[in-house]
Amino acid sequence: MRRSLHATACRAAGFVTVLALGIAGARAAAPPPPVVSVVVVKPQKVYQQDSFIGRIQAAHIVNLVPRVTGYLEKRLFRQGAEVKKGQLLYVIEPGPYQAAFDQAKANVADAQATLDNAELTLERAARLLHTPAGQQSTYDDDKAAAESAAAKLQAAEAARETAAINLAYTQIRAPLDGRIGASAVNIGNVVGPNTGTLATVVSQNPMNIVFSMPTRDAIRLRQRLVTQGGLAGVVLRVKLPDGRMDRQEGTLDFTSNQISQSTDSLAMQGTIPNPVIKGLGNARTSDRELTSGEFVTVIVRSRTPEDKIVLPRDAVLADQVGDYVLTVGKDGKVARADVKLASTTPATATIASGLAIGTKVIVDGVEKVHPGVKANAKVIASPVAQG
């Protein structure tokens, strides 16, 4: 009986020992804190910028319309090429208009001769007026004849000027430097004022940028410009449809005096250089980056950078309360920090407020932790703001 009780006691003592060893082993096997990547908050030079959809628009677009009627004799340009102001583009048959001009010149010469003779006759009548051979009626008739001849000379000169203008209209010249489009008519066709546009010349450099800015953004921009020298405090950059950035910088020249009631936005316009692309040879369609009518992304950027905190965009989370980030404190514990964003890009987020310099912000591994737990923070390089 004693031996049985002793055996039972030994088995119980063994079970307690095994249980204690199991608990100790479980404590020893507890997983370490998860590893997360963090950046140390520090200010860097950031250009404040916003992006909007805009359109490239030529500063001048001129339709070439004939002013006189006649056969089209010549077309002196290559379609799609760039032309210079004053360059001869079309010639409408000048023959009839040259003949009309020559006739008008002859009429002027005839009227001048008639006037010269009338003035001589009037001069003789004036000398004889106070002599027995002179008569007042003769003087009056000669004076009227001289005045009539002077009026006819003026009319002939006016007709000559009209004929000269019409003759000049037979040569259609480029009204400005630009690129000419396709010709709407062929040589040999009869053209005239009712024909419509023969071709269109579009100026190439500089180009206008037209876009609309939501009222909220326009107010924010206006507040920035107060301390940055007005419109000169921002520059315009253009992202092309293929995603490339145009190398030129533009200026903001104009803001509308009314807000659109349908879109609650403010129309704006800027100017940007559009030089010939070097290395492409003679002027062709692709010689310049920007084309009138092209949709682009307009970036309105401050000219002077400011000290701002920049984080990877993925580090900023959001819920019903607002935007926030997860931080790691000196004790290794994860905490939430509510932040206010100044601006964002697909890659970065610029923080307006909510973070102190030196704070460690989790940028990778946020899914592994939550506020209150401990984390093993691995510091990585901060992202660089795009200027």
Side-chain angles (χ1 to χ4, degrees), residues 283-331:
R284 293 189 296 271
T285 302
S286 59
D287 272 355
R288 300 177 189 267
E289 286 285 11
L290 305 178
T291 304
S292 184
E294 181 179 17
F295 278 107
V296 294
T297 300
V298 183
I299 299 173
V300 182
R301 193 195 74 183
S302 60
R303 190 177 294 276
T304 304
E306 302 175 10
D307 288 331
K308 294 290 184 180
I309 295 170
V310 179
L311 298 176
R313 185 65 184 90
D314 293 340
V316 181
L317 310 174
D319 59 15
Q320 294 180 344
V321 177
D323 297 312
Y324 69 96
V325 297
L326 295 181
T327 65
V328 178
K330 294 181 179 180
D331 58 358

Side-chain angles (χ1 to χ4, degrees), residues 46-50 220 313 341-345 348-352:
V46 175
Y47 291 94
Q48 292 293 322
Q49 64 182 37
D50 296 285
R220 190 172 70 238
R313 185 65 184 90
L341 300 181
S343 62
T344 63
T345 71
T348 62
T350 302
I351 308 301

Side-chain angles (χ1 to χ4, degrees), residues 50-101:
D50 296 285
S51 300
F52 308 94
I53 299 300
R55 184 190 293 272
I56 299 299
Q57 188 178 82
H60 303 284
I61 300 176
V62 179
N63 295 326
L64 303 178
V65 178
R67 304 289 294 275
V68 293
T69 300
Y71 286 100
L72 188 66
E73 284 192 355
K74 298 178 182 179
R75 192 196 78 196
L76 303 172
F77 63 90
R78 181 167 54 84
Q79 299 179 103
E82 293 202 12
V83 296
K84 296 293 184 181
K85 182 178 181 179
Q87 180 178 333
L88 185 59
L89 303 176
Y90 290 104
V91 175
I92 299 172
E93 57 171 339
Y97 298 97
Q98 182 67 55
F101 175 67

Side-chain angles (χ1 to χ4, degrees), residues 32-54:
V35 177
V36 294
S37 298
V38 300
V39 296
V40 179
V41 171
K42 59 181 179 180
Q44 57 178 291
K45 297 294 184 181
V46 175
Y47 291 94
Q48 292 293 322
Q49 64 182 37
D50 296 285
S51 300
F52 308 94
I53 299 300

